[in-house]
Amino acid sequence: MADWNLYLARYQQTHGGSFFGSGEWDCNCQLLLPQEGKSPLLVLFSTDPCGRSSVKNLRARTMVRLGKPYNLHIGPRSLVGGGLSGVASLVGKAMDFGFSETKGRVITTDNKPFTKLVLGDLALRNALKERKGELLEVRPGPQEDGWHMVEVFPNTLEGLVKDSSPWVNDAMEQSTDFMTPEDREAILRAGSAHFDAQMDALLNFLRTARDAVTMWPIQS
């Protein structure tokens, strides 16, 4: 079983920022990554109640300022009708913007003209194509000065980060309890290499979405 606290802490050691979390296997940790001239990126792992059990979730978010309130939800089409995490936040009717990179996606928004500008960014469309199992949401914050949250998160197996997800490789599933320190570190390096690549791609998706929604002013 993957130790998410450990792997996020190791990610911080090589990528900087500030890690918040314990050494317990509780999947409850955060990483704050400063961004020069922009709001920081926040990564959150959590263990959340789900019926009689619990699930492990991962989200990455940042804040941007927009001229008017704006909502956007982009998720895998396979989630629609499932009554699962993310579906309840859909705004309005799903829309087709005609881009090949968004095929298989459900896009809902309260401002179609602005969303067409946002999706005009090729980098964002490519990120949506590459990260097909992840969702993107933009929602107004509680402040009255235009702040919005931009958030991306994986939807592996109904939106849950499980040990069978693409985020986990064989090394991350191995127990290191009875290994020598050298063998344990070798296993952790193999797990970190996989985890770090997934996290880099997720955060690149977040940065790309952030830049796309702030590239143009909202006119209507």
Side-chain angles (χ1 to χ4, degrees), residues 18 22 24-25 29 39 41 64 96 111 124 134 140-141 177 181 193 195-197 220:
S18 299
S22 70
E24 302 295 326
W25 280 61
C29 55
S39 294
L41 310 184
V64 298
D96 181 9
N111 191 328
L124 176 58
E134 291 163 3
D177 291 346
F195 176 87
D196 289 4
S220 60

Side-chain angles (χ1 to χ4, degrees), residues 82-219:
L84 303 167
S85 172
V87 175
S89 62
L90 294 177
V91 181
K93 184 179 179 181
M95 302 175 187
D96 181 9
F97 289 84
F99 295 111
S100 62
E101 295 89 351
T102 60
K103 185 178 180 181
R105 293 281 194 166
V106 172
I107 304 172
T108 58
T109 181
D110 57 0
N111 191 328
K112 187 173 182 179
F114 182 66
T115 299
K116 190 168 185 178
L117 287 176
V118 171
L119 291 175
D121 181 33
L122 180 59
L124 176 58
R125 299 203 311 274
N126 284 336
L128 289 167
K129 183 178 180 180
E130 293 168 4
R131 309 300 294 178
K132 292 181 179 179
E134 291 163 3
L135 284 86
L136 164 63
E137 291 188 354
V138 182
R139 302 192 301 274
Q143 307 96 317
E144 297 181 356
D145 50 358
W147 285 104
H148 286 64
M149 183 177 71
V150 181
E151 183 174 63
V152 296
F153 50 100
N155 250 291
T156 302
L157 194 59
E158 292 93 20
L160 313 178
V161 176
K162 296 238 180 204
D163 288 339
S164 59
S165 80
W167 280 76
V168 180
N169 69 353
D170 291 342
M172 296 172 70
E173 293 182 312
Q174 290 191 42
S175 172
T176 59
D177 291 346
F178 302 104
M179 290 184 179
T180 66
E182 294 79 10
D183 289 343
R184 180 178 186 272
E185 181 57 30
I187 290 295
L188 291 178
R189 282 199 304 268
S192 288
H194 180 79
F195 176 87
D196 289 4
Q198 290 288 334
M199 185 60 69
D200 286 346
L202 181 72
L203 294 179
N204 181 64
F205 184 17
L206 177 60
R207 293 186 186 96
T208 300
R210 173 200 65 193
D211 294 344
V213 298
T214 55
M215 187 178 300
W216 305 96
I218 298 180
Q219 300 293 343

Side-chain angles (χ1 to χ4, degrees), residues 15-41:
H15 291 75
S18 299
F19 173 83
F20 302 88
S22 70
E24 302 295 326
W25 280 61
D26 57 1
C27 189
N28 185 10
C29 55
Q30 301 84 38
L31 174 63
L32 189 68
L33 292 166
Q35 305 290 292
E36 186 175 356
K38 301 179 186 293
S39 294
L41 310 184

Side-chain angles (χ1 to χ4, degrees), residues 35-98:
Q35 305 290 292
E36 186 175 356
K38 301 179 186 293
S39 294
L41 310 184
L42 178 63
V43 178
L44 306 98
F45 272 107
S46 61
T47 301
D48 302 318
C50 183
R52 296 181 178 179
S53 61
S54 61
V55 296
K56 299 177 179 66
N57 289 315
L58 164 63
R59 293 175 181 267
R61 58 180 55 158
T62 191
M63 300 295 289
V64 298
R65 292 187 73 173
L66 302 178
K68 296 182 179 180
Y70 176 62
N71 285 276
L72 173 66
H73 179 108
I74 303 178
R77 187 172 298 277
S78 60
L79 290 180
V80 175
L84 303 167
S85 172
V87 175
S89 62
L90 294 177
V91 181
K93 184 179 179 181
M95 302 175 187
D96 181 9
F97 289 84

